[in-house]
Amino acid sequence: MIFRLAAILLVAMALPGMTSPVPRTSWLRHGDQWHLSALKVADAQKISQGDGITVAVPDSGVSFHQDLQGNLLAGTDVIAGGNGDGRDDRDGHGTGMAGLIAAHGTGDEGAVGIAPRAKILPILCSPPGRDGDTDALATAIDFAVSRGVDVISISIVGGASARLQQAVSAALMADVVVVAAAGRASGTQIVGYPARHPGVVAVGGIGRDGSHADISATGPEIDVVAPAVDIYSTSINGKYRKGTGTSDAAAIVAGAAALIRSKYPYLPAQEVAHRLKATAVDKGPPGRDDEYGYGVIDLVAALTADVPPLGFESVSAPAGGGSTTATGARPGEDDGATARGLATLGVIVAIGAGWAFVARRRRRGDDPPPKISR
């Protein structure tokens, strides 16, 4: 009964943050998008901008927007009776998430995403004004995997149905980086699903001052945190939105994953997730904690730091600078045969160690409702 009640409460944990349209004429790219300077996005984009990477956004759809021109692919509509290509958003949430990942601005105006050269695969699985369902999200994830995406950004929280768990597991097995919002804080303090699925990068939120955002859920599954308060991005009808919630933080981290996958295209998905965590800036008590996970994402360090592969974590890794030890880098990027060998060995070692970690994190007895929410 306790697990059932907790699962039902999840429906209210990740409701859309307060949003309001922002007139284009008043848009100040570097003033309103405070997370760009906080995360040193300009410096990171000198290293990688997400070229060659596709990020799936299962959400309310993604509308055409001037700041996403050239980034938006034809996707799909998995809602019962739907026959669109996902490029239709009636409440702005999905378009906002897409902008945080891959918007490129227009001239000196507009929104800038973390990975402005990445492609967005829109999947309409959450209709406006009402809850979606776990089967729709599962179908959306399956579609994304079938299209060979590199990253799936999930700003949806709901119940862990068997069908959805299978879809998430299949995505991870297909070498896709799955990033998901932890959900809104509540009395139960339960990290939502699929963020709490083992292997998914679970994202919590921080405010402008870098401290834990009150709206963010906490728990042992939190991996990293990112800005989640007063986050500006694209919206419908060529306008902009201001949102607060772990939805925004998850999209930002998905953009970070796109940067890493673009720079290191041969790096396995689990190593991309490991790199995000290993280079995060520690907050709160020393080491991992339930509010900040491993810390605030550090884009530049994630792209440049010496990060030992999984299984070699006892080797110290400086947080920033230098060529990587085991990177999966593009040919000619100072990776070397020894580094490639270490990366391969690290992945092999991680198979055993990773599943032991999975067993510790897995929750038992969940009996969730067949609903999802944002």
Side-chain angles (χ1 to χ4, degrees):
M1 181 65 183
I2 294 176
F3 283 108
R4 183 182 297 275
L5 177 60
I8 291 173
L9 289 173
L10 285 176
V11 174
M13 287 171 57
L15 295 174
M18 295 190 308
T19 62
S20 58
V22 181
R24 184 172 177 76
T25 55
S26 68
W27 187 260
L28 297 175
R29 176 186 296 177
H30 300 293
D32 286 336
Q33 286 195 290
W34 66 268
H35 67 280
L36 295 181
S37 57
L39 298 176
K40 299 181 180 178
V41 171
D43 292 337
Q45 289 179 353
K46 293 175 183 177
I47 304 167
S48 175
Q49 293 193 22
D51 296 81
I53 301 303
T54 299
V55 182
V57 179
D59 209 289
S60 61
V62 178
S63 289
F64 288 102
H65 193 285
Q66 59 272 14
D67 294 349
L68 287 167
Q69 186 173 359
N71 300 77
L72 192 57
L73 304 174
T76 191
D77 178 348
V78 301
I79 300 298
N83 58 4
D85 64 3
R87 293 182 289 191
D88 180 21
D89 181 5
R90 298 183 181 180
D91 71 10
H93 189 270
T95 305
M97 300 307 102
L100 289 171
I101 296 166
H104 49 63
T106 307
D108 292 331
E109 296 183 327
V112 176
I114 304 298
R117 293 185 181 173
K119 301 295 185 183
I120 296 293
L121 182 72
I123 307 173
L124 202 168
C125 68
S126 179
R130 60 189 178 89
D131 289 337
D133 62 71
T134 55
D135 282 351
L137 179 56
T139 301
I141 293 171
D142 288 342
F143 176 82
V145 173
S146 74
R147 292 302 185 272
V149 302
D150 304 284
V151 181
I152 300 177
S153 179
I154 304 176
S155 291
I156 290 174
V157 170
S161 69
R163 170 80 176 83
L164 182 54
Q165 291 182 66
Q166 291 171 356
V168 174
S169 295
L172 295 170
M173 290 294 292
D175 196 40
V176 178
V177 179
V178 181
V179 179
R184 285 190 166 270
S186 70
T188 60
Q189 286 302 313
I190 295 176
V191 172
Y193 193 86
R196 71 174 186 268
H197 188 104
V200 171
V201 180
V203 183
I206 57 171
R208 286 176 178 261
D209 62 356
S211 298
H212 170 73
D214 292 339
I215 50 84
S216 176
T218 61
E221 300 87 358
I222 297 292
D223 290 311
V224 293
V225 292
V229 177
D230 297 334
I231 305 299
Y232 285 84
S233 186
T234 48
S235 187
I236 56 177
N237 301 319
K239 296 181 180 180
Y240 297 89
R241 68 185 287 277
K242 177 182 179 182
T244 291
T246 59
S247 287
D248 303 79
I252 289 170
V253 174
L259 295 182
I260 297 170
R261 299 220 86 167
S262 179
K263 180 170 174 57
Y264 305 121
Y266 309 120
L267 201 63
Q270 63 178 349
E271 292 289 344
V272 174
H274 171 56
R275 178 166 282 271
L276 283 167
K277 292 180 281 188
T279 58
V281 178
D282 193 19
K283 295 278 291 184
R288 204 219 145 268
D289 65 81
D290 289 356
E291 284 192 342
Y292 299 97
Y294 290 94
V296 182
I297 59 167
D298 185 329
L299 300 180
V300 175
L303 293 169
T304 61
D306 294 317
V307 179
L310 283 165
F312 291 86
E313 293 89 344
S314 60
V315 180
S316 61
S323 61
T324 51
T325 300
T327 65
R330 295 181 186 276
E333 286 191 350
D334 195 28
D335 50 339
T338 301
R340 289 194 298 271
L342 278 173
T344 303
L345 179 59
V347 172
I348 293 173
V349 171
I351 292 175
W355 282 112
F357 180 62
V358 164
R360 289 197 301 271
R361 290 183 63 186
R362 187 180 300 277
R363 293 179 178 272
R364 298 178 182 275
D366 284 8
D367 185 15
K371 296 292 183 182
I372 57 176
S373 61
R374 292 179 276 107

